[in-house]
Amino acid sequence: MSISNETTVNLQEEYEKRQIQEVLDELDRDLVGLIPVKTRIKEIAALLLVHRLRKLLGLTSANPGLHMSFTGSPGTGKTTVALKMADILFRLGYVRKGHLITVTRDDLVGQYIGHTAPKTKEVLKRAMGGVLFIDEAYYLYKPDNERDYGAEAIEILLQVMENQRDDLVIIFAGYKDRMDSFYESNPGLSSRVANHIDFPDYTPEELLIIGKIMLEEQQYRLTKESELVLLDYIKLRMKEPHFANARSVRNAIDRARMRQANRMFNAGDKVLTKSDLVTIQPEDLLKSRLFKK
Ligand SMILES: Nc1ncnc2c1ncn2[C@@H]1O[C@H](COP(=O)(O)OP(=O)(O)OP(=O)(O)O)[C@@H](O)[C@H]1O
């Protein structure tokens, strides 16, 4: 069928019909900061939408490159954003189901000869119709070990990525510098990853806002003083090993809730008010080992 130059498609109508704005609003609302990430997601959503319309008019047939790379430190929101991306891909009709499967090397690579292919294929089967998120993807490639089975998993992933008919999108995630060298060593893979998004580390102030939102969600609140203590805690925690941005804040909050409960419990049979039950006091945070150094 030939389509004339005058045939029209309605971008706005298609955008509203697919309810993309809803997901973008959720992204804006649920995630503190991350402005560059949110901007990139919007750009990708616009590109995918326009591509759909071009396809409707017969201007193109192949899918645009859908596979992605999310780089950044642990706890910077990569998995959370991947979930939203899966939803966008689903709403735009690029994947049939829109679920997200998160895996690491151990889920894909076997210990013995002959174990890797079935393992990887099984994961791919589960991920079909959705998004496969491979965290710390560089562990798939071990340059010092020629006989490492990771290479076999990469080969299988490549085949699936190449096959445009499969409705599966792969997101490779991990620290930026290590991902860069992973792509350098695997150019075949790199050339099939079209969208790169870098997740910046949060500032202490952003992490404090994230912490306050997490507490509010669980019906807790900080006093003015405990807010300052949490900010101090965050600044100390950032200098410690294994700091994981928002995840470390979540862990700190979980421990503060436990100390709050213990504090009230140890106070004996005192009658508690609603305010007692919801308030995290400075001492609930100050008992952390970080303040004892
Ligand atoms: N900007 C943010 N605003 C609010 N909460 C956030 C934000 N970023 C992350 N979080 C929360 O922090 C936790 C960790 O985030 P997430 O798992 O998405 O990070 P990640 O980058 O995928 O980490 P990893 O790769 O180490 O698993 C989640 O509970 C998430 O809800």
Side-chain angles (χ1 to χ4, degrees), residues 29-34 38 72-82 102 133 135-136 173-174 199 202 206-207 209-211 213-214 217 244-248 250:
R29 202 180 48 231
D30 295 354
L31 293 171
V32 174
L34 289 183
K38 291 171 178 171
S73 309
T76 45
K78 299 186 292 296
T79 314
T80 313
V81 172
T102 304
F133 183 91
D135 208 3
E136 304 215 75
F199 287 62
Y202 294 116
E206 282 173 334
L207 289 171
I209 300 174
I210 291 174
I213 293 173
M214 287 174 176
E217 279 168 0
N245 287 275
R247 186 132 37 72
S248 295
R250 187 178 286 287

Side-chain angles (χ1 to χ4, degrees), residues 32 205-224 226-228 230 234 249 253:
V32 174
E205 289 72 23
E206 282 173 334
L207 289 171
L208 176 64
I209 300 174
I210 291 174
K212 281 168 68 176
I213 293 173
M214 287 174 176
L215 280 166
E216 269 163 32
E217 279 168 0
Q218 305 175 67
Q219 321 256 305
Y220 282 89
R221 65 176 190 84
L222 297 168
T223 64
K224 269 274 154 273
S226 43
E227 197 172 311
L228 294 175
L230 181 56
I234 289 168
V249 173
I253 280 169

